[in-house]
């Protein structure tokens, strides 16, 4: 099984990029108010550059009532005061560029906060330029034709459609299949005005120096679309085309999970998301509970019997369509620790940093920060336990995240690993990123070929002249077809006269040309 994906944008070189996701309120607090901020991120650029990071994605930083941690935008043109100012963002971008790091903002195009000025105008009973910026039904006793809706909140005679939480009314990009009078065509004046408004938002932040956007719920724009999302794709092709006409090097990565559609829409990258029993889920999250190790059947859990082929058969067809980023985790998924041991997480990072696409590291995963069960905060619910403060220095109050009193922190520090303790995983991450960035065979669109193995728990793949073999199991295993020079290894992996010997939870990169 071999394939080389096409470049997403021929003018854009993403080959050696490594993406790092920052949850801004939990990364670094510069002013002691207990909440992370833009100046705090700027103060940690040396750490990111030393790690080898080339691109950061900031979760939403725009003004918001924070009923969904900023994914309920109140003003696309205003930085949330708790994070700082526009000037602070410009400083961050300028300093990041000096460190060789690009900056992506989180764009939420499918909905806003109910407090957004657009929505407040749209909710007025008298027609105005924003009346069709959102999706409203014909009268206050109408339903949403199968879509979630709210009625009785405003004087306008209609109910409005939601995109996620109650506080997030859906912006109007039209309907592909229409069976009610209030369902507009994607090319009607209202939906076209919504497109233009979002294009202007993107242009504004690109003009200030930002490098691009991670796009939230990118597939959710046109309602009642076909399964292959052709109407939504057409909307994105239009908007991206207009932005790229002015900013040809803009970087766009989608939260879509279907790279064949995301790349057709014009995105440069897509994320492999944690969906139920999909291939990514099988790798590290096949557990009934984020903290349940006993019943964990994840491929990278040492005691599991899940074969490598369960992942391969799902991933390989998707990879063919372009850059498909594997993630260590994100703000919506439980962290791998403490359910997976450090050795198991090291094996997973070995995989993450040697696979195609742009590897994406969620802040703190590189040191083994742990998922904790804590009360919900800002609409996080079960996700809140993956959003705790970054742990910089175990000798400092709040692990160096903030000088505020512990009770004033955005979320409590979870404890455990920290940067100052230099966990083995952190050293491995730094080593593998350095190898990846200087080795074209390991980069984003270099060829990939999965290889047959003598045991179902072995995962082996070739990337040009390099062979990567991972043994996540509890037993020592041998891979006979790896002769050459060891480039990197963990867990005591070693080349012998009979090939590659891998003790439990071991992995290696072998250069077969040497």
């Amino acid at each position: 099984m071999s394939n080389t994906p096409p470049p997403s944008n021929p003018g854009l070189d993403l080959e050696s990029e490594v993406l790092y996701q920052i949850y801004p309120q939990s990364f670094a607090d510069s002013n002691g108010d207990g909440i992370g901020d833009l100046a705090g991120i700027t103060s940690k650029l040396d750490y990111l550059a030393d790690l080898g990071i080339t691109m950061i994605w900031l979760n939403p930083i725009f003004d918001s009532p924070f009923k969904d941690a900023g994914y309920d935008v109140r003003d696309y043109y205003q930085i949330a005061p708790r994070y700082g100012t526009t000037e602070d963002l410009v400083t961050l971008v300028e300093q990041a560029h000096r460190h060789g790091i690009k900056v992506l903002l989180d764009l939420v195009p499918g909905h806003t906060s109910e407090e957004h000025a657009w929505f407040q105008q749209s909710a007025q009973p008298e027609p105005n330029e924003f009346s069709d910026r959102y999706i409203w039904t014909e009268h206050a006793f109408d339903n949403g034709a199968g879509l979630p809706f709210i009625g009785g909140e405003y004087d306008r005679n209609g109910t409005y459609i939601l995109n996620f939480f109650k506080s997030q009314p859906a912006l109007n990009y039209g309907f592909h299949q229409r069976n009610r009078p209030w369902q507009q065509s994607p090319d009607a004046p209202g939906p076209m005005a919504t497109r233009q408004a979002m294009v202007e938002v993107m242009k504004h932040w690109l003009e200030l120096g930002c490098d691009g956007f991670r796009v939230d719920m990118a597939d959710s724009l046109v309602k009642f679309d076909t399964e292959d999302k052709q109407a939504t794709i057409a909307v994105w092709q239009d908007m991206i085309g207009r932005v790229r006409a002015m900013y040809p090097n803009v970087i766009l990565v989608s939260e879509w999970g279907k790279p064949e559609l995301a790349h057709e829409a014009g995105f440069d990258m897509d994320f492999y998301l944690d969906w139920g029993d999909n291939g990514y889920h099988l790798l590290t999250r096949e557990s009934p509970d984020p903290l349940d190790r006993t019943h964990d059947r994840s491929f990278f859990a040492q005691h599991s019997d899940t074969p490598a082929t369960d992942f391969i058969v799902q991933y390989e067809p998707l990879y063919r369509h372009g850059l498909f980023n594997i993630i260590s985790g994100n703000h919506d998924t439980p962290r791998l620790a403490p359910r997976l041991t450090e050795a198991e997480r090291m094996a997973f990072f070995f995989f993450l940093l040697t696979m195609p696409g742009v590897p994406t590291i969620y802040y703190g995963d590189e040191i083994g920060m742990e998922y904790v069960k804590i009360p919900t905060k800002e609409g996080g619910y079960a996700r809140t336990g993956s959003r705790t403060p970054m742990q910089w220095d175990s000798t400092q109050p709040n692990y160096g995240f903030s000088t505020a009193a512990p009770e004033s922190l955005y979320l409590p520090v979870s404890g455990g690993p920290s940067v100052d303790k230099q966990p083995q995983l952190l050293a491995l991450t730094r080593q593998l990123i350095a190898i990846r960035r200087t080795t074209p065979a390991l980069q984003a669109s270099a060829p990939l070929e999965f290889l047959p193995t003598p045991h179902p728990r072995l995962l082996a793949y070739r990337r040009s002249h390099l062979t990567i073999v991972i043994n996540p199991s509890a037993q020592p295993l041998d891979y006979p077809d790896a002769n050459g020079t060891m480039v990197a290894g963990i867990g005591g992996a070693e080349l012998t006269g009979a090939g590659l010997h891998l003790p439990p939870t071991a992995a290696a990169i072998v250069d077969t040309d040497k």
Side-chain angles (χ1 to χ4, degrees):
M1 294 177 286
S2 178
N3 183 70
T4 302
S8 302
N9 179 349
L12 199 60
D13 183 4
L14 300 172
E15 289 303 306
S16 61
E17 301 286 356
V18 179
L19 178 57
Y20 189 92
Q21 180 188 351
I22 292 175
Y23 200 66
Q25 52 267 61
S26 292
F27 196 62
D29 171 19
S30 71
N31 60 7
D33 65 356
I35 299 177
D37 47 46
L38 295 171
I41 298 170
T42 302
S43 73
K44 300 300 183 181
L45 289 172
D46 285 346
Y47 167 79
L48 296 172
D50 179 67
L51 188 59
I53 300 303
T54 64
M55 188 184 303
I56 56 175
W57 149 34
L58 310 181
N59 283 92
I61 57 172
F62 304 134
D63 181 48
S64 169
F66 292 102
K67 294 181 180 179
D68 187 19
Y71 283 96
D72 48 330
V73 177
R74 184 163 50 199
D75 187 342
Y76 288 104
Y77 293 94
Q78 177 72 36
I79 300 295
R82 74 186 196 181
Y83 297 138
T85 64
T86 298
E87 290 71 25
D88 291 327
L89 177 62
V90 170
T91 297
L92 168 59
V93 170
E94 290 174 347
Q95 292 298 319
H97 289 170
R98 291 191 180 102
H99 283 77
I101 297 173
K102 302 176 181 68
V103 179
L104 307 185
L105 303 185
D106 208 321
L107 181 70
V108 187
H111 53 264
T112 68
S113 165
E114 60 194 349
E115 297 182 20
H116 197 293
W118 294 347
F119 184 72
Q120 292 300 309
Q121 287 297 312
S122 187
Q124 296 301 312
E126 301 81 13
N128 59 69
E129 65 173 304
F130 297 102
S131 294
D132 292 333
R133 182 61 53 88
Y134 298 82
I135 305 171
W136 291 84
T137 64
E138 281 199 299
H139 57 79
F141 303 100
D142 206 349
N143 60 45
L147 295 171
F149 68 96
I150 294 288
E153 292 279 308
Y154 296 92
D155 291 340
R156 178 169 174 169
N157 186 22
T159 61
Y160 59 91
I161 303 302
L162 303 175
N163 216 36
F164 197 59
F165 285 159
K166 176 263 178 189
S167 58
Q168 294 163 315
L171 285 162
N172 183 17
Y173 292 90
F175 286 72
H176 177 66
Q177 301 174 38
R178 300 177 291 279
N179 52 37
R180 299 280 187 91
W182 49 268
Q183 296 169 354
Q184 300 178 355
S185 168
D187 59 3
M192 292 300 291
T194 303
R195 293 192 208 183
Q196 182 59 34
M198 206 52 58
V199 167
E200 293 302 321
V201 169
M202 288 189 274
K203 287 164 56 179
H204 174 79
W205 296 107
L206 292 170
E207 185 64 27
L208 289 175
C210 295
D211 298 285
F213 303 92
R214 175 267 189 185
V215 178
D216 182 63
M217 296 176 63
D219 65 337
S220 73
L221 301 192
V222 177
K223 306 307 180 189
F224 294 170
D225 204 350
T226 55
E227 185 175 350
D228 61 359
K229 298 286 183 177
Q230 288 304 297
T232 296
I233 286 171
V235 168
W236 277 118
Q237 289 173 338
D238 173 38
M239 292 195 294
I240 291 173
R242 284 192 264 168
V243 172
R244 280 218 166 103
M246 294 186 64
Y247 301 94
N249 292 321
V250 61
I251 299 168
L252 296 166
V253 55
S254 59
E255 183 192 33
W256 200 309
K258 294 185 177 181
E260 70 278 16
L261 304 182
H263 287 278
E264 183 182 354
F267 289 95
D268 304 298
M269 301 176 276
D270 189 24
F271 286 124
Y272 203 2
L273 302 171
D274 181 21
W275 288 348
D277 290 329
N278 72 346
Y280 176 76
H281 183 85
L282 294 173
L283 288 173
T284 58
R285 291 182 167 83
E286 184 71 351
S287 176
D289 183 274
L291 299 177
D292 184 352
R293 179 169 177 81
T294 302
H295 300 96
D296 187 1
R297 309 317 305 168
S298 303
F299 175 73
F300 279 96
Q302 192 182 75
H303 60 273
S304 170
D305 58 2
T306 298
T309 51
D310 284 6
F311 161 74
I312 294 171
V313 296
Q314 293 204 42
Y315 170 80
E316 207 270 343
L318 299 172
Y319 152 79
R320 297 176 180 179
H321 297 281
L323 300 186
F324 195 35
N325 299 354
I326 297 174
I327 62 176
S328 71
N330 64 23
H331 60 291
D332 287 334
T333 58
R335 292 189 186 271
L336 302 182
R339 179 174 44 83
L340 295 185
T341 67
E342 183 174 51
E344 291 165 343
R345 285 180 277 113
M346 288 176 68
F348 172 70
F349 264 70
F350 208 95
F351 164 84
L352 172 71
L353 292 167
T354 56
M355 284 289 283
V358 173
T360 303
I361 299 170
Y362 184 50
Y363 83 98
D365 281 352
E366 75 276 15
I367 60 171
M369 279 181 58
E370 298 181 352
Y371 176 80
V372 289
K373 290 190 175 182
I374 54 178
T376 186
K377 177 82 170 185
E378 296 183 348
Y381 299 97
R383 305 173 297 178
T384 306
S386 293
R387 302 174 176 184
T388 55
M390 179 67 174
Q391 295 167 182
W392 296 103
D393 188 340
S394 60
T395 69
Q396 298 296 316
N398 305 314
Y399 275 64
F401 163 70
S402 172
T403 58
E407 62 272 16
S408 298
L409 297 184
Y410 172 76
L411 286 172
V413 175
S414 61
S418 55
V419 173
D420 70 299
K421 294 178 182 177
Q422 291 294 307
Q424 291 185 64
L425 178 56
L426 178 60
L428 176 68
T429 301
R430 188 180 292 113
Q431 176 195 12
L432 290 177
I433 289 176
I435 293 172
R436 181 185 181 95
R437 289 184 59 190
T438 56
T439 308
L442 289 177
Q443 292 176 1
S445 61
L448 168 72
E449 179 185 3
F450 289 107
L451 303 171
T453 65
H455 192 281
R457 291 283 285 144
L458 275 179
L459 173 62
Y461 46 98
R462 180 181 294 123
R463 305 207 62 199
S464 186
H465 57 93
L466 300 178
T467 296
I468 298 95
V469 188
I470 302 172
N471 173 23
S473 77
Q475 60 180 304
L477 296 172
D478 293 302
Y479 182 78
D481 300 321
N483 298 306
T485 301
M486 182 92 73
V487 176
I490 58 170
E494 61 177 344
L495 286 167
T496 68
L500 183 63
H501 177 68
L502 297 119
T505 321
I509 304 171
V510 177
D511 189 337
T512 55
D513 279 357
K514 295 182 179 180

